[in-house]
Amino acid sequence: MHLISLKNIYSKQLPNMPKEYIVRLLLHYSHKSVVLLKRNGTVMGGITYRAFTPQGFGEIAFCAIASSEQVKGYGTRLMNYTKEYAVTMDHLSHFLTYADNNAVGYFT
């Protein structure tokens, strides 16, 4: 259920991204998703990435926070937690991402 809610956030925040592509990556066994939840269980956002463990890096496919939750610092927290998780669980040292001209924001 959380992944479907996350798919809806990705679709809304990334309107030029085909929904079929989002679903294919989000539900693919090689991709992992970190989901940010409110205390009541509502999905606020997430990051979906693929780990290339032998090479020591991960590729971020999607990163989005619900528009009602932006500018509250949740994106930074989510990215920091995802990096910590990837280092600890997947033994990654770097993240690779790509943003097109329609993307808003940045990664630090």
XYZ file of all heavy atoms in Angstrom:
864
model
N 0.817 -1.191 0.000
C 0.000 0.000 0.000
C 0.870 1.268 0.000
O 0.547 2.233 -0.672
C -0.929 0.005 1.219
C -1.987 -1.104 1.185
S -3.053 -1.019 -0.261
C -3.970 0.434 0.096
N 1.969 1.212 0.778
C 2.853 2.381 0.840
C 3.499 2.657 -0.511
O 3.663 3.823 -0.895
C 3.931 2.201 1.906
C 3.400 2.174 3.307
N 2.353 2.936 3.749
C 3.795 1.464 4.379
C 2.120 2.704 5.017
N 2.984 1.809 5.428
N 3.866 1.604 -1.220
C 4.500 1.803 -2.531
C 3.525 2.409 -3.540
O 3.918 3.235 -4.369
C 5.070 0.494 -3.063
C 6.302 -0.045 -2.334
C 6.738 -1.374 -2.937
C 7.435 0.952 -2.368
N 2.265 2.030 -3.457
C 1.268 2.612 -4.365
C 1.061 4.088 -4.028
O 0.966 4.938 -4.920
C -0.055 1.827 -4.296
C 0.164 0.380 -4.733
C -1.130 2.504 -5.145
C 0.780 0.210 -6.111
N 1.028 4.411 -2.743
C 0.924 5.825 -2.341
C 2.141 6.602 -2.813
O 2.025 7.742 -3.270
C 0.788 5.940 -0.824
O -0.402 5.345 -0.384
N 3.322 5.975 -2.712
C 4.544 6.621 -3.183
C 4.502 6.829 -4.693
O 4.903 7.874 -5.199
C 5.767 5.800 -2.774
C 7.125 6.389 -3.103
C 7.306 7.763 -2.468
C 8.226 5.445 -2.641
N 3.957 5.861 -5.413
C 3.801 5.996 -6.863
C 2.938 7.203 -7.203
O 3.236 7.966 -8.125
C 3.179 4.732 -7.468
C 3.134 4.730 -8.967
C 1.843 4.672 -9.691
C 0.547 4.481 -9.041
N -0.561 5.118 -9.797
N 1.886 7.422 -6.424
C 1.010 8.565 -6.665
C 1.737 9.888 -6.431
O 1.533 10.854 -7.169
C -0.238 8.468 -5.787
C -1.126 7.305 -6.190
O -1.110 6.871 -7.331
N -1.894 6.801 -5.248
N 2.594 9.936 -5.424
C 3.388 11.147 -5.172
C 4.365 11.378 -6.311
O 4.490 12.495 -6.819
C 4.113 11.058 -3.821
C 3.091 11.132 -2.680
C 5.157 12.175 -3.679
C 3.662 10.873 -1.309
N 5.071 10.321 -6.734
C 6.002 10.453 -7.858
C 5.263 10.952 -9.102
O 5.747 11.830 -9.813
C 6.680 9.128 -8.173
C 7.715 8.666 -7.179
C 8.052 7.321 -7.094
C 8.375 9.543 -6.333
C 9.024 6.868 -6.210
C 9.333 9.107 -5.436
C 9.655 7.760 -5.375
O 10.606 7.317 -4.495
N 4.102 10.390 -9.378
C 3.339 10.777 -10.570
C 2.930 12.243 -10.519
O 2.967 12.938 -11.536
C 2.085 9.914 -10.707
O 2.432 8.577 -10.931
N 2.537 12.694 -9.336
C 2.105 14.090 -9.207
C 3.283 15.055 -9.273
O 3.220 16.096 -9.912
C 1.352 14.280 -7.895
C 0.741 15.655 -7.767
C -0.140 15.766 -6.547
C -0.754 17.149 -6.492
N -1.610 17.324 -5.345
N 4.387 14.712 -8.620
C 5.543 15.599 -8.563
C 6.391 15.526 -9.833
O 7.169 16.441 -10.088
C 6.406 15.261 -7.349
C 5.705 15.486 -6.012
C 5.264 16.911 -5.822
O 4.109 17.231 -6.021
N 6.180 17.775 -5.461
N 6.279 14.445 -10.574
C 7.033 14.269 -11.823
C 6.037 14.045 -12.964
O 5.937 12.944 -13.510
C 7.987 13.068 -11.696
C 8.944 13.096 -10.508
C 9.592 11.746 -10.298
C 9.985 14.174 -10.694
N 5.291 15.075 -13.352
C 4.189 14.888 -14.305
C 4.626 14.449 -15.703
O 3.812 13.867 -16.427
C 3.524 16.272 -14.354
C 4.583 17.224 -13.910
C 5.440 16.467 -12.944
N 5.857 14.689 -16.089
C 6.312 14.268 -17.421
C 6.823 12.831 -17.447
O 7.156 12.323 -18.520
C 7.410 15.209 -17.917
C 6.894 16.608 -18.152
O 5.709 16.799 -18.410
N 7.765 17.588 -18.046
N 6.871 12.192 -16.294
C 7.357 10.813 -16.205
C 6.174 9.862 -16.429
O 5.160 9.967 -15.734
C 7.964 10.575 -14.821
C 8.695 9.276 -14.673
S 10.251 9.199 -15.562
C 11.155 10.521 -14.808
N 6.279 8.947 -17.384
C 5.164 8.016 -17.627
C 4.880 7.152 -16.384
O 5.806 6.635 -15.752
C 5.666 7.148 -18.786
C 6.767 7.920 -19.408
C 7.375 8.758 -18.325
N 3.615 7.004 -16.059
C 3.221 6.227 -14.871
C 3.676 4.769 -14.971
O 4.047 4.161 -13.969
C 1.718 6.300 -14.670
C 1.272 7.665 -14.218
C -0.222 7.718 -13.992
C -0.543 9.082 -13.415
N -1.525 9.817 -14.111
N 3.646 4.229 -16.166
C 4.060 2.838 -16.363
C 5.541 2.661 -16.007
O 5.936 1.655 -15.431
C 3.820 2.382 -17.805
C 2.361 2.385 -18.218
C 1.849 3.765 -18.617
O 2.660 4.693 -18.848
O 0.613 3.928 -18.673
N 6.349 3.642 -16.350
C 7.784 3.598 -16.044
C 8.000 3.693 -14.533
O 8.819 2.963 -13.977
C 8.498 4.744 -16.767
C 9.981 4.806 -16.512
C 10.837 3.848 -17.041
C 10.523 5.824 -15.730
C 12.207 3.897 -16.802
C 11.886 5.885 -15.490
C 12.718 4.916 -16.021
O 14.064 4.967 -15.780
N 7.265 4.578 -13.881
C 7.383 4.711 -12.426
C 7.041 3.383 -11.760
O 7.784 2.898 -10.897
C 6.472 5.843 -11.906
C 6.976 7.198 -12.402
C 6.398 5.823 -10.380
C 6.038 8.360 -12.116
N 5.938 2.781 -12.149
C 5.512 1.512 -11.553
C 6.535 0.422 -11.816
O 6.869 -0.355 -10.914
C 4.119 1.095 -12.086
C 3.770 -0.325 -11.672
C 3.065 2.063 -11.606
N 7.054 0.370 -13.040
C 8.019 -0.682 -13.393
C 9.261 -0.620 -12.509
O 9.731 -1.635 -12.003
C 8.413 -0.551 -14.866
C 9.281 -1.700 -15.346
C 9.520 -1.656 -16.821
N 9.476 -0.291 -17.340
C 10.074 0.088 -18.448
N 10.743 -0.763 -19.159
N 9.996 1.336 -18.856
N 9.807 0.579 -12.292
C 10.996 0.696 -11.451
C 10.669 0.548 -9.967
O 11.401 -0.101 -9.231
C 11.684 2.036 -11.690
C 12.338 2.249 -13.043
C 13.128 3.539 -13.044
C 13.219 1.087 -13.441
N 9.584 1.149 -9.545
C 9.208 1.123 -8.133
C 8.970 -0.298 -7.637
O 9.350 -0.641 -6.509
C 7.951 1.971 -7.926
C 7.486 2.217 -6.506
C 8.540 2.992 -5.723
C 6.176 2.974 -6.504
N 8.390 -1.144 -8.466
C 8.069 -2.513 -8.057
C 9.094 -3.542 -8.510
O 8.931 -4.729 -8.228
C 6.680 -2.897 -8.573
C 5.524 -2.011 -8.092
C 4.214 -2.476 -8.701
C 5.449 -1.979 -6.581
N 10.140 -3.117 -9.185
C 11.165 -4.049 -9.660
C 12.013 -4.549 -8.496
O 12.333 -3.788 -7.589
C 12.055 -3.359 -10.706
C 12.848 -4.320 -11.517
N 14.088 -4.769 -11.129
C 12.561 -4.944 -12.683
C 14.548 -5.620 -12.029
N 13.636 -5.733 -12.989
N 12.353 -5.825 -8.529
C 13.084 -6.440 -7.417
C 14.471 -5.837 -7.197
O 15.007 -5.901 -6.086
C 13.195 -7.951 -7.623
C 14.126 -8.345 -8.746
C 15.471 -8.612 -8.499
C 13.669 -8.457 -10.056
C 16.330 -8.956 -9.526
C 14.515 -8.814 -11.080
C 15.844 -9.067 -10.804
O 16.698 -9.409 -11.818
N 15.061 -5.230 -8.208
C 16.413 -4.686 -8.046
C 16.424 -3.270 -7.460
O 17.486 -2.750 -7.157
C 17.155 -4.688 -9.383
O 16.542 -3.793 -10.278
N 15.262 -2.667 -7.303
C 15.176 -1.314 -6.758
C 14.676 -1.362 -5.321
O 13.855 -2.205 -4.960
C 14.232 -0.452 -7.595
C 14.823 -0.038 -8.892
N 14.959 -0.910 -9.958
C 15.327 1.141 -9.307
C 15.520 -0.268 -10.972
N 15.752 0.983 -10.607
N 15.182 -0.442 -4.523
C 14.746 -0.307 -3.134
C 14.128 1.069 -2.968
O 14.545 2.023 -3.622
C 15.930 -0.429 -2.181
C 16.555 -1.793 -2.180
C 17.680 -1.870 -1.175
C 18.277 -3.265 -1.172
N 19.300 -3.403 -0.147
N 13.147 1.147 -2.086
C 12.501 2.428 -1.809
C 12.521 2.696 -0.320
O 12.236 1.817 0.489
C 11.053 2.430 -2.304
O 11.005 2.346 -3.702
N 12.861 3.919 0.029
C 12.784 4.395 1.400
C 11.593 5.349 1.423
O 11.553 6.307 0.662
C 14.079 5.117 1.822
C 13.952 5.658 3.231
C 15.268 4.169 1.707
N 10.620 5.050 2.284
C 9.378 5.805 2.325
C 9.321 6.593 3.631
O 9.618 6.069 4.700
C 8.159 4.855 2.219
C 6.855 5.619 2.310
C 8.225 4.064 0.933
N 8.946 7.854 3.526
C 8.787 8.721 4.689
C 7.310 8.754 5.058
O 6.464 9.111 4.239
C 9.294 10.125 4.362
C 9.282 11.147 5.478
C 10.230 10.722 6.601
C 9.692 12.507 4.947
N 7.001 8.350 6.314
C 5.625 8.271 6.771
C 5.345 9.288 7.868
O 6.209 9.564 8.696
C 5.326 6.877 7.347
C 5.504 5.681 6.434
C 5.312 4.394 7.213
C 4.535 5.748 5.276
N 4.114 9.786 7.876
C 3.649 10.581 9.013
C 3.330 9.606 10.144
O 3.238 8.398 9.941
C 2.373 11.349 8.647
C 2.571 12.568 7.831
C 1.237 13.305 7.707
C 1.436 14.607 6.965
N 0.178 15.353 6.879
N 3.109 10.135 11.322
C 2.773 9.284 12.463
C 1.490 8.491 12.231
O 1.329 7.393 12.749
C 2.636 10.118 13.735
C 3.949 10.673 14.214
C 3.763 11.440 15.509
N 4.927 12.243 15.808
C 5.870 11.874 16.649
N 5.791 10.725 17.274
N 6.901 12.660 16.867
N 0.580 9.038 11.445
C -0.678 8.330 11.174
C -0.559 7.325 10.032
O -1.548 6.712 9.637
C -1.801 9.333 10.888
C -1.582 10.130 9.623
O -0.662 9.876 8.853
N -2.431 11.116 9.393
N 0.635 7.158 9.470
C 0.872 6.180 8.413
C 0.741 6.712 7.010
O 0.917 5.967 6.046
N 0.460 7.995 6.845
C 0.336 8.601 5.527
C 1.723 8.789 4.910
O 2.647 9.252 5.573
C -0.350 9.983 5.631
O -1.605 9.819 6.270
C -0.547 10.598 4.263
N 1.855 8.411 3.661
C 3.129 8.562 2.950
C 3.336 10.030 2.597
O 2.461 10.660 1.992
C 3.157 7.692 1.680
C 4.434 7.920 0.889
C 3.009 6.225 2.038
N 4.500 10.571 2.983
C 4.840 11.967 2.670
C 5.800 12.065 1.491
O 5.923 13.114 0.882
C 5.483 12.642 3.875
C 4.542 12.853 5.030
S 5.225 13.949 6.279
C 6.587 13.016 6.905
N 6.525 10.995 1.202
C 7.489 11.025 0.114
C 8.391 9.823 0.174
O 8.211 8.921 0.996
N 9.387 9.821 -0.700
C 10.304 8.695 -0.709
C 11.396 8.848 -1.739
O 11.413 9.777 -2.545
N 12.317 7.894 -1.665
C 13.428 7.800 -2.616
C 13.490 6.354 -3.087
O 13.459 5.434 -2.268
C 14.761 8.202 -1.973
C 14.736 9.687 -1.582
C 15.940 7.900 -2.907
C 15.988 10.153 -0.872
N 13.579 6.171 -4.376
C 13.740 4.848 -4.962
C 15.106 4.804 -5.633
O 15.443 5.704 -6.403
C 12.628 4.555 -5.989
O 11.365 4.631 -5.324
C 12.792 3.187 -6.620
N 15.882 3.769 -5.314
C 17.218 3.670 -5.886
C 17.555 2.216 -6.205
O 16.913 1.291 -5.721
C 18.274 4.264 -4.947
C 18.573 3.457 -3.703
C 19.653 2.571 -3.670
C 17.804 3.579 -2.565
C 19.940 1.837 -2.534
C 18.081 2.860 -1.424
C 19.155 1.984 -1.415
O 19.429 1.246 -0.282
N 18.555 2.064 -7.027
C 19.080 0.745 -7.357
C 20.520 0.685 -6.901
O 21.327 1.576 -7.234
C 19.009 0.491 -8.859
C 19.542 -0.872 -9.238
C 19.378 -1.156 -10.706
N 19.908 -2.475 -11.005
C 19.835 -3.052 -12.178
N 19.250 -2.415 -13.172
N 20.346 -4.237 -12.371
N 20.848 -0.343 -6.145
C 22.208 -0.506 -5.633
C 23.047 -1.314 -6.620
O 22.631 -2.378 -7.069
C 22.179 -1.207 -4.283
N 24.199 -0.784 -6.948
C 25.205 -1.506 -7.732
C 26.326 -1.825 -6.739
O 27.357 -1.153 -6.697
C 25.697 -0.655 -8.901
C 24.645 -0.431 -9.949
C 23.782 0.647 -9.861
C 24.511 -1.306 -11.011
C 22.801 0.864 -10.814
C 23.535 -1.108 -11.979
C 22.676 -0.014 -11.875
N 26.078 -2.832 -5.924
C 26.950 -3.144 -4.793
C 28.390 -3.441 -5.192
O 29.311 -2.915 -4.554
C 26.348 -4.310 -3.979
O 24.991 -3.982 -3.652
C 27.121 -4.539 -2.694
N 28.642 -4.259 -6.217
C 30.052 -4.529 -6.560
C 30.840 -3.267 -6.908
O 32.026 -3.169 -6.623
C 29.960 -5.460 -7.780
C 28.612 -6.080 -7.691
C 27.730 -5.039 -7.062
N 30.146 -2.281 -7.509
C 30.810 -1.043 -7.882
C 30.773 -0.009 -6.757
O 31.422 1.027 -6.842
C 30.157 -0.451 -9.143
C 30.361 -1.281 -10.382
C 29.337 -2.409 -10.519
O 28.422 -2.548 -9.727
N 29.504 -3.226 -11.544
N 29.977 -0.253 -5.731
C 29.940 0.630 -4.573
C 29.122 1.898 -4.738
O 29.320 2.865 -4.019
N 28.172 1.901 -5.685
C 27.347 3.096 -5.842
C 25.892 2.708 -6.052
O 25.568 1.563 -6.353
C 27.833 3.986 -6.985
C 27.501 3.483 -8.359
C 26.345 3.894 -8.998
C 28.358 2.621 -9.024
C 26.039 3.434 -10.270
C 28.065 2.160 -10.295
C 26.899 2.573 -10.918
N 25.021 3.689 -5.856
C 23.603 3.505 -6.102
C 23.104 4.569 -7.060
O 23.612 5.689 -7.085
N 22.114 4.212 -7.849
C 21.507 5.147 -8.793
C 20.125 5.525 -8.274
O 19.265 4.659 -8.100
C 21.371 4.505 -10.168
C 20.666 5.400 -11.153
C 20.323 4.683 -12.450
O 20.233 3.454 -12.471
O 20.129 5.398 -13.447
N 19.929 6.805 -7.996
C 18.633 7.273 -7.535
C 17.725 7.427 -8.754
O 18.030 8.183 -9.668
C 18.745 8.604 -6.773
C 19.558 8.389 -5.493
C 17.365 9.164 -6.459
C 19.808 9.644 -4.699
N 16.616 6.688 -8.735
C 15.658 6.751 -9.836
C 14.635 7.846 -9.601
O 14.320 8.618 -10.513
C 14.961 5.399 -9.997
N 14.099 7.913 -8.380
C 13.072 8.897 -8.050
C 13.302 9.430 -6.646
O 13.717 8.696 -5.748
C 11.664 8.286 -8.092
C 11.328 7.613 -9.380
C 11.162 6.241 -9.437
C 11.171 8.343 -10.542
C 10.850 5.611 -10.628
C 10.856 7.723 -11.733
C 10.701 6.350 -11.779
N 12.994 10.692 -6.467
C 13.040 11.334 -5.150
C 11.977 12.412 -5.159
O 12.032 13.323 -5.988
C 14.419 11.927 -4.885
S 14.510 12.868 -3.355
N 11.000 12.304 -4.264
C 9.933 13.305 -4.231
C 9.286 13.351 -2.856
O 9.205 12.342 -2.153
C 8.875 13.000 -5.286
N 8.831 14.537 -2.502
C 8.074 14.792 -1.285
C 6.735 15.390 -1.715
O 6.690 16.194 -2.656
C 8.814 15.789 -0.357
C 10.178 15.252 0.057
C 7.978 16.139 0.865
C 10.133 14.062 0.979
N 5.667 15.002 -1.038
C 4.344 15.558 -1.355
C 4.398 17.088 -1.267
O 5.064 17.641 -0.389
C 3.299 15.001 -0.394
N 3.707 17.752 -2.167
C 3.760 19.210 -2.225
C 3.315 19.859 -0.918
O 3.840 20.897 -0.534
C 2.928 19.732 -3.387
O 1.593 19.286 -3.274
N 2.393 19.224 -0.214
C 1.923 19.786 1.062
C 2.960 19.681 2.171
O 2.841 20.343 3.205
C 0.644 19.079 1.509
O 0.901 17.698 1.713
N 3.994 18.863 1.962
C 5.018 18.644 2.987
C 6.370 19.252 2.624
O 7.339 19.088 3.351
C 5.190 17.145 3.247
C 3.922 16.427 3.666
C 3.357 16.932 4.971
O 4.105 17.478 5.796
O 2.133 16.784 5.182
N 6.456 19.933 1.486
C 7.733 20.515 1.067
C 8.080 21.719 1.924
O 7.241 22.239 2.638
C 7.679 20.897 -0.412
C 7.659 19.679 -1.303
C 7.642 20.039 -2.772
O 7.571 21.199 -3.143
N 7.705 19.034 -3.619
N 9.310 22.126 1.850
C 9.908 23.240 2.588
C 9.821 23.083 4.102
O 9.887 24.048 4.837
C 9.370 24.644 2.154
C 9.570 24.863 0.679
C 7.931 24.856 2.554
N 9.694 21.853 4.566
C 9.680 21.582 5.999
C 10.925 20.808 6.431
O 11.044 20.417 7.575
C 8.429 20.784 6.387
C 7.135 21.538 6.152
C 5.950 20.693 6.560
C 4.642 21.421 6.288
N 3.477 20.587 6.620
N 11.822 20.568 5.496
C 13.050 19.856 5.815
C 12.959 18.355 5.704
O 13.916 17.644 5.991
N 11.801 17.829 5.272
C 11.638 16.377 5.182
C 12.509 15.763 4.090
O 12.986 14.649 4.214
C 10.178 16.005 4.948
C 9.284 16.301 6.120
C 8.112 17.021 5.950
C 9.601 15.860 7.401
C 7.278 17.300 7.024
C 8.783 16.134 8.477
C 7.620 16.854 8.281
O 6.803 17.123 9.343
N 12.708 16.498 2.997
C 13.543 15.983 1.914
C 14.980 15.768 2.359
O 15.608 14.762 2.026
N 15.502 16.695 3.140
C 16.865 16.561 3.665
C 16.962 15.375 4.603
O 17.909 14.589 4.521
C 17.273 17.852 4.400
O 17.192 18.941 3.480
C 18.678 17.755 4.957
N 15.984 15.240 5.484
C 15.977 14.098 6.408
C 15.907 12.779 5.658
O 16.594 11.818 5.986
C 14.786 14.180 7.357
C 14.942 15.160 8.444
C 13.721 15.123 9.307
N 14.025 15.591 10.635
C 13.156 15.656 11.599
N 11.919 15.277 11.396
N 13.509 16.093 12.785
N 15.043 12.746 4.651
C 14.874 11.540 3.854
C 16.171 11.166 3.140
O 16.581 10.005 3.136
C 13.736 11.729 2.851
C 13.421 10.573 1.927
C 13.004 9.338 2.699
C 12.324 10.991 0.957
N 16.821 12.157 2.533
C 18.081 11.888 1.830
C 19.153 11.427 2.812
O 19.896 10.474 2.528
C 18.549 13.125 1.075
C 19.830 12.918 0.283
S 19.763 11.575 -0.923
C 18.749 12.321 -2.171
N 19.259 12.063 3.969
C 20.260 11.662 4.957
C 20.014 10.237 5.454
O 20.952 9.456 5.596
C 20.288 12.640 6.134
C 20.893 13.963 5.754
O 21.652 14.068 4.797
N 20.539 15.000 6.492
N 18.762 9.882 5.705
C 18.451 8.527 6.145
C 18.760 7.516 5.042
O 19.318 6.454 5.306
C 16.988 8.401 6.579
C 16.684 7.007 7.047
C 17.019 6.597 8.331
C 16.117 6.076 6.190
C 16.781 5.305 8.757
C 15.873 4.785 6.599
C 16.201 4.401 7.885
O 15.977 3.109 8.286
N 18.400 7.861 3.808
C 18.659 6.950 2.688
C 20.154 6.715 2.518
O 20.589 5.580 2.297
C 18.054 7.507 1.385
O 16.653 7.706 1.579
C 18.281 6.563 0.226
N 20.954 7.775 2.639
C 22.410 7.616 2.525
C 22.946 6.725 3.644
O 23.762 5.847 3.394
C 23.102 8.978 2.541
C 22.894 9.771 1.266
C 23.779 10.987 1.171
C 23.331 12.101 2.055
N 24.084 13.360 1.850
N 22.460 6.950 4.860
C 22.901 6.127 5.994
C 22.519 4.661 5.786
O 23.314 3.759 6.020
C 22.261 6.650 7.278
C 22.658 5.892 8.516
C 21.977 6.437 9.757
O 21.809 7.667 9.860
O 21.608 5.621 10.624
N 21.300 4.424 5.331
C 20.835 3.071 5.065
C 21.679 2.412 3.974
O 22.093 1.260 4.103
C 19.357 3.099 4.645
C 18.802 1.736 4.315
C 18.280 0.926 5.309
C 18.814 1.252 3.011
C 17.775 -0.333 5.013
C 18.318 -0.001 2.697
C 17.796 -0.791 3.708
O 17.317 -2.037 3.412
N 21.946 3.137 2.898
C 22.702 2.585 1.770
C 24.136 2.244 2.175
O 24.686 1.244 1.724
C 22.693 3.562 0.604
N 24.738 3.067 3.014
C 26.100 2.789 3.481
C 26.101 1.558 4.371
O 26.935 0.658 4.227
C 26.691 4.012 4.228
C 27.941 3.638 4.990
C 26.966 5.140 3.258
N 25.151 1.490 5.291
C 25.108 0.398 6.268
C 24.671 -0.924 5.658
O 25.313 -1.952 5.866
C 24.144 0.761 7.419
O 24.555 2.002 7.978
C 24.134 -0.305 8.486
N 23.584 -0.910 4.904
C 22.987 -2.154 4.409
C 23.533 -2.601 3.049
O 23.681 -3.787 2.812
C 21.467 -2.005 4.320
C 20.825 -1.634 5.646
S 21.166 -2.787 6.987
C 20.167 -4.151 6.497
N 23.798 -1.654 2.164
C 24.236 -2.003 0.807
C 25.721 -1.766 0.583
O 26.234 -2.079 -0.485
C 23.442 -1.199 -0.224
C 21.966 -1.547 -0.219
O 21.631 -2.725 -0.015
O 21.139 -0.632 -0.415
N 26.394 -1.167 1.568
C 27.834 -0.876 1.496
C 28.180 0.009 0.292
O 29.163 -0.216 -0.402
C 28.650 -2.169 1.466
C 28.277 -3.103 2.576
N 28.540 -2.836 3.902
C 27.625 -4.286 2.566
C 28.084 -3.812 4.654
N 27.513 -4.708 3.871
N 27.350 1.024 0.078
C 27.570 1.968 -1.016
C 28.363 3.161 -0.507
O 28.258 3.540 0.654
C 26.241 2.450 -1.585
C 25.263 1.380 -2.063
C 24.015 2.026 -2.644
C 25.903 0.446 -3.064
N 29.136 3.748 -1.387
C 29.905 4.937 -1.012
C 29.490 6.172 -1.800
O 29.850 7.283 -1.428
C 31.400 4.691 -1.209
O 31.669 4.365 -2.554
N 28.722 5.979 -2.885
C 28.316 7.107 -3.722
C 26.898 6.894 -4.251
O 26.450 5.764 -4.405
C 29.241 7.259 -4.933
C 30.625 7.651 -4.576
N 31.576 6.745 -4.173
C 31.233 8.850 -4.550
C 32.703 7.370 -3.925
N 32.518 8.651 -4.145
N 26.236 8.000 -4.544
C 24.953 7.978 -5.240
C 25.115 8.732 -6.549
O 25.781 9.757 -6.617
C 23.853 8.659 -4.431
C 23.060 7.720 -3.566
C 22.938 7.956 -2.217
C 22.418 6.616 -4.100
C 22.206 7.106 -1.412
C 21.682 5.764 -3.310
C 21.571 6.004 -1.968
N 24.483 8.218 -7.577
C 24.447 8.844 -8.889
C 22.992 9.195 -9.166
O 22.095 8.402 -8.866
C 24.950 7.852 -9.949
C 24.780 8.216 -11.405
C 25.724 9.349 -11.771
C 25.034 7.012 -12.276
N 22.754 10.364 -9.686
C 21.396 10.739 -10.049
C 21.443 11.608 -11.289
O 22.483 12.134 -11.663
C 20.676 11.458 -8.885
O 19.304 11.599 -9.223
C 21.295 12.802 -8.590
N 20.303 11.742 -11.909
C 20.180 12.551 -13.110
C 18.904 13.367 -12.976
O 17.872 12.840 -12.584
C 20.096 11.661 -14.355
C 19.777 12.423 -15.612
C 20.770 13.117 -16.288
C 18.482 12.478 -16.105
C 20.480 13.841 -17.431
C 18.182 13.193 -17.247
C 19.185 13.866 -17.897
O 18.900 14.585 -19.018
N 18.964 14.633 -13.251
C 17.780 15.493 -13.215
C 17.616 16.163 -14.573
O 18.583 16.645 -15.149
C 17.922 16.555 -12.128
N 16.382 16.171 -15.052
C 16.134 16.846 -16.326
C 15.771 18.310 -16.072
O 15.777 18.779 -14.940
C 15.049 16.129 -17.135
C 13.699 16.130 -16.444
O 13.508 16.876 -15.475
O 12.832 15.384 -16.897
N 15.450 19.031 -17.130
C 15.151 20.457 -16.999
C 13.869 20.742 -16.235
O 13.635 21.859 -15.812
C 15.060 21.099 -18.385
C 16.404 21.146 -19.062
O 17.429 21.142 -18.402
N 16.402 21.163 -20.382
N 13.031 19.717 -16.041
C 11.773 19.897 -15.323
C 11.913 19.592 -13.834
O 10.970 19.768 -13.079
C 10.682 19.019 -15.912
C 10.395 19.418 -17.351
O 10.232 20.580 -17.654
N 10.378 18.435 -18.230
N 13.064 19.094 -13.411
C 13.260 18.760 -12.003
C 13.453 20.036 -11.196
O 14.013 21.013 -11.663
C 14.480 17.858 -11.852
N 12.978 19.983 -9.977
C 13.092 21.114 -9.075
C 13.896 20.657 -7.864
O 13.697 19.570 -7.353
C 11.700 21.602 -8.620
C 11.817 22.759 -7.644
C 10.877 21.997 -9.830
N 14.813 21.484 -7.404
C 15.578 21.139 -6.210
C 16.953 20.655 -6.535
O 17.374 20.669 -7.690
N 17.652 20.191 -5.507
C 19.016 19.721 -5.696
C 19.359 18.734 -4.598
O 18.668 18.616 -3.605
C 19.996 20.887 -5.681
C 19.996 21.622 -4.360
C 20.887 21.278 -3.350
C 19.101 22.668 -4.125
C 20.878 21.957 -2.152
C 19.089 23.337 -2.923
C 19.981 22.982 -1.943
O 19.975 23.628 -0.748
N 20.453 18.003 -4.801
C 20.963 17.042 -3.819
C 22.265 17.574 -3.272
O 23.068 18.151 -3.983
C 21.234 15.677 -4.462
C 19.995 14.981 -4.900
C 19.641 14.915 -6.220
C 19.173 14.382 -3.954
C 18.498 14.263 -6.619
C 18.027 13.739 -4.343
C 17.690 13.667 -5.686
N 22.487 17.378 -2.005
C 23.751 17.761 -1.391
C 24.420 16.553 -0.783
O 23.803 15.590 -0.476
C 23.551 18.824 -0.304
O 22.652 18.326 0.655
C 23.038 20.109 -0.913
